[in-house]
Every structure is written in C-alpha cells, then in structure tokens.
Amino acid sequence: MATPNSLPLCEKISRRSAAQRAIDVIILFLLLSLLVYRFLFLNDHGLTWLLAFLCESWFTFIWVLVMNIKWNPVGYKTYPDNLLPRVTELPSVDMFVTTADSVLEPPIITINTVLSLMAVDYPANKLACYVSDDGCSPLTFYSLVEASKFAKLWVPFCKENNIQVRAPFKYFSDDSLTFSDSSNWEFQQKWKSMKVEYELLCHKIEDAAKKSRPCDFLGEFAEFSNVERKNHPTIIKVIWENKEGLPDGLSHLVYVSREKRDKHPHHYKAGAMNVLTRVSGLMSNAPYMLNVDCDMFINNPKVVLHAMCLLLGSKSEKESAYVQFPQMFYDGLKDDPYGNQLVILFEYIMHGMSGIQGPHYDGTGCFHRRKIIYGLSPDTMESINRKLDEDKLLEFGSSKELIKSIAHALKGNKDPPDHLWDSIEAAHQVAKCDFEYSTNWGTELLGWRYGSTTEDVLTGLAIHKRGWRSVYCTPDPSAFLGCAPSGGPAAMTQQKRWATGMLEILLSRSCPIFATLFEKLQFRQCMAYLWLFSWGIRSIPELCYATLPVYCIITNCFFLPKVQEPAFYALVALFVIYNLYTLSEYLRTGQSVRAWWNNHRMARITTMNAWFFGFLSVMLKLLGISENVFEVTKKDQSSDASSDDDAGRFTFDESPIFVPGTTILLLHLAALVVSLLNLQPPAHDRHGSGLGEVLCSVWLVLCFWPFLKGLFGKGKHGIPITTICKSAALALLFLHLCRKTTMG
C-alpha cells in the first residue's frame, strides 16, 4: 500500500512522434533542395529569382524554428486527489482579474469570472480575489458589490452540488440540463431559485448600465462621484472579507483602481498587474498568484489543485516558476472562421516548448510564484533565507510595509495582516502613479515588464532568462474558457497588438539572442522565442512573395520552375506534403477540414494585414514618429453567436488595416484577367510566365475569398469604398511600375 509521501502529484509524459519528425525532416529537405536550385541558377535569372530566393530562405528559417519547437513535445498529468494526503496545509493563492473598459469589457463578463474564481474547490480562507479596474468605472464596482451578495448563495450551491461549470451565465445557458429524476426535486427547486437570483442580478446591472449615473454616489460609492477615466485618485475597496477565516466561506474580494494622472505613464496592463502585486502583498501576501483576463472564467473547479500539483510536486522550484494553462474558448464559431481559437498553437507549440525550457507566459490562466515575480533568481535561492540586502529591498519602493511583506515573501514566511483593512492606507500608497519612480518595478529585475504591448510574453522571457523553467498544464476538462474576438476588425486588432509587442521585444535589449549569449536562456528556447517574436517581420517576405506571381504574369517572366525541370516536382511535393501534414494536425485535434482551410487562409490574411501594420507601428516608433498604444479587444458574451448564420462571415470597418489585403486581391484579379485575355508582352527570354504563376494567383484569390465577397458586400460585411479606392490606387501604381519595367 502506497504511503502518502509516495503518492505522485504529477507525471511528465513524452509526446514525441517518429512519423512527425520524419515529415518535418522531409519538408526541410525539400525546402533546402529548392534553395540550392535557386542558388545554382541565380546568375541566369533576374530580380524575381533573387527575391524568390530570399523569401524562400526566410520560409526555410521559420520552418527550422518550428521544427526546433516541435521536436520533443512533453505533457504533464496531474493527480489533484493525491494533494491533500501529501500536503499538510495548502498554500494561499491571490487571484487577479484585470479589466480596463466597462464598454468593451461589460461588467457582466467580469463578475462571471469573479464568481467562478470564488467558487473553486479550494479552502476559501486560502484565497483572495483582487479585481483591477483600469477604467475606474462605478458600474464595475457596483456590479462587483451586487455579485458579492449573489456569491453568498452561488458558492455554497456550487460546492454542495458539485457543479462543474461555475460561471453562472454559462451554467444556466446549458440547454442539455434536464431534470427527469424525481429524487432530485430539492435540487430542482434550488436550481430554479438560483437562476431567478442570477437573472435578478443581471437585471440590476443592465438597469444600472442604462443610466447616466449607475448608482447614487453615497456611502461607499461617494469616491466615484467626480472621477475621470484617466484622471482619478486611487480607489481600493474591500467588498468582502472572510474575517473568521472559514474554509467553507467566501474568499476575500477586493476592488482596486490605481491612481491615474494625465502626465504620468501607467504602462497599461503591466502597470495594473504590478499594482495588484503590491496591494495583494500588503493585504494577503500569498506565495502564489493566479492572473486571468476578465473574460476567462474557470471551467474546471479543481484548477488550483492541478496547479499546486505542479508547483508543489516538482523536485525543484526551477522546474516550475509558473504554470501556464491554455486559452480555450466557449461558444466558438463553427470551424473557426477567423482563425483565432489557437487550437494548433496550444496543442503543438506550447507542448513543444514544454520539452525545452517551458511555455511562454500567455498573460492569462497562469499561476506564478510571488518571489519569482519579486525578482528572485535560482542562484540566490539558497542564500535568500540567510540575509536580505537592505539596499536591494529599497529598489521595491519607499513603503516600509511593502518592503517588510516582500522580505517575508522572499524568505517563505507567512504572516499576512489579521484583517485586510489593517493595510488599506499602505495599499493606497503603493497604488499611486508616482510610487514606482526610482524603483525597479517593470524593469528586467522586478514585476511585470514594461516596454511592450505584449507585457506577458516579455515577463515570461525575463523569468526564463534568469534560468527558471515553466510548466504547461492541460487538465480535462479545460481549466479556463474565454471568448474569442468575433469579427474581422476585432481579430485584426488583437493580432496587430501581438505582432507589435513581440517585434518590440525582438528589436530591444530584451532580445532572446542577447539572453542566450549573456544570460541563462537555453539556445533552443531562444529559437522558440524567435519564432514568436518574428510574427511582424514575416509580413514582409509574405507580401513580397504574394506579389511575385502578379509581377511575372504582367511582365511575362517567371519565378517558378518549369514543368520539365526536376525542381518543379520538388515544389509540388513540398506544397502537397506540407498541406497534408498541417491538415493532419487539425484532424488529430478533432477539427474539421474546413477549420484547417479557414485557419490557412486567415494565416495569409493576418500576416499581410494585421502583422504588417504591427511591423509598421514598430518602425514608426523606432523612427520617433509615433508611439504604440495598447488597444483593448472588445469582449462579446452572446451565447448564440455560434448559431447565427452571419456570425462566420468576415466583417470590415474603415480601418486602413484592410488596405494591404484588398490591394493584393485586386492585383491578382488583374493578373488573372491579363493572363486569360493574353494581354502579356512578349517574353524577354525563351520562357514567359506559365501555369505555376497562374495557379499561385488562383490560390491567393481563394485565400482572400472573404475580401472578394467583401468587394460586393454591404454594411459591415462589405469593404468600405474608401478602402477600395486606396487599394485600387496602390494596385494601379504597382501595375504601372510593372509595365514601365517591361518597356524599359
């Protein structure tokens, strides 16, 4: 019989596949063969051949990075039922929820996330939930106050009846829930009563949202009477406190809106996370911190136990600096028409990174060790318990209470205040907008990192390059569920923000190449980060390669091997094998052929539109022309989106982000007309453009099919006339230059 100490908490499982490795190598061989062919005949051809060689060299480099990531994937199996027999006392966890705009991120979404966090299967006296409201919205605070009242009913209901989905909006929208067993009559009555209470809560919030003043600014709401969204003092409210420390009660719930002033930088989400870290350090000082976006509710009530299996079950803290859970989405549109459900990325890339130094930090659904966020390095772990340098602690700021709490956290001591209100004055001090001046908050040494719109990935990189590892956890059912952007503009905005932020990191002192040369980032992990950070740069070779067929058809030259050449068959084999290989990845994850095609075409659309604008944003910033701005993605909680016939149709707005894609489409349509009507000039050499170039144009038109439909669509499904005019002007300019080169 196994003793409690011998029971495993987690198990590392290799997921490598010999077949996958073989196909990876075959694709690499075909890419290299094509490059050798290009190189050998480089002098015999013109500029198109050179451009094709450069673009294909880049594609080969990206494939090497992908191979490196996917070479030895691993997974982790956790055993939460073994945790209590192994651990005498479960550690405390501070849970952070961030929201920034009560319009784009409606409070009803935020409170569902908060309610699911408060209802997890974990002792309530070990939990504290902090909600950061960067919009300083009285509606958000009002919603949280009302939600805390509902939580007194909801949390016991979930735990007593072992409810699995603990976000009420999702739980009550489950049409498959029926009551056929007469023995469950008592539960049926509780269920109906709870649904009525939740509907009442929703009505209160909806009514408040319709008013110009969501509530009377009296009592605890008085501080919101004259606030402005970007100019207001610190507001911290203890909405609920578990004063008796009851394990079966409600967890602490604290509202935090940090001070904002017009002339003080606030560093977007990273700044909010650092404020939450300091405030929670004073109030509860839990050794572990979970952060989630406001729309990522808990779908697996044992999620904290799963995370603790990995955080407590590892042989060394270096094996699990943080535990990252995948982003999964509820009510996703069928076949992923916008390519933003990221199934393949989380299934193959994240598991692949787990086999190196660990997955990157994804910004939500992640458990951190507090002392690592405080800048602890593996080399200093042994000496930290003996002495802490006072000068070093002063880098955390001027708050003596905060320094004391940080010292206790770094040493592993547990002495939070008896009551949350005891530290409220100090909490206001550390949430001031000028508190971080002359400190190391947001630098390479401490807290969430500043300097990028993707502060999450930058923070994870800073942790990895100090020598830490991270872990990827994929329990069943999924730990968290969120909502993916449901329209073209929202999807493009999100992708642009990611590409911008990651390219900023690549071109900064935080570049992973420097971290490998001078710090402790592993070489293969560096390659994995390079794959991630190169998203913005990829738009340039993709756009260049996409225009080559057009140029060749218009000028009657060629950039692809002819049918009679052996290289032609290598190119065809590469195209067929790669597409069948990627298709098999989608089928193995339970997705459809249509989902594969949607993601394939959206990869082209995203790269040439959103990523290209991300690249331009970074270039303009480097030239000092403009600054990047963090753009909040609109959250939509509508549960019937997946059944809407029009939900999967691509939508547009007047943003210039759609100009490159529309231009590419118009160019290829023009090229196909020129080829079909045989309007090409005589070829300069023996061979002009051929079938290969025409098929490339057809393929790209198919990839941009949503844009083709958008040319004739109306309303949000149609491309605005201003975008079409701009794109037509660019297309005509390109065609004119093509003709000019043929005449020259």
Side-chain angles (χ1 to χ4, degrees), residues 178-196:
T178 57
F179 308 110
S180 57
D181 190 348
S182 59
S183 63
N184 286 333
W185 183 87
E186 184 179 352
F187 173 72
Q188 294 178 34
Q189 299 310 306
K190 288 182 181 178
W191 186 93
K192 292 175 182 177
S193 174
M194 197 60 57
K195 186 175 183 181
V196 170

Side-chain angles (χ1 to χ4, degrees), residues 118 148 152 238-242 249-254 420:
M118 296 179 75
S148 69
K152 297 173 186 177
V238 179
I239 297 175
W240 176 259
E241 181 176 3
N242 188 349
L250 293 184
S251 63
H252 302 317
L253 178 59
V254 182
L420 298 183

Side-chain angles (χ1 to χ4, degrees), residues 500-543:
T500 300
M502 289 187 285
L503 186 55
E504 285 176 320
I505 301 171
L506 182 64
L507 301 179
S508 71
R509 291 180 298 176
S510 299
C511 176
I513 297 175
F514 299 147
T516 298
L517 292 175
F518 306 113
E519 298 184 69
K520 297 179 180 178
L521 188 72
Q522 295 179 15
F523 175 70
R524 289 187 58 206
Q525 188 76 5
C526 170
M527 294 178 67
Y529 273 114
L530 286 177
W531 174 84
L532 201 62
F533 295 161
S534 63
W535 283 9
I537 298 177
R538 287 188 223 175
S539 60
I540 303 305
E542 285 235 16
L543 279 167

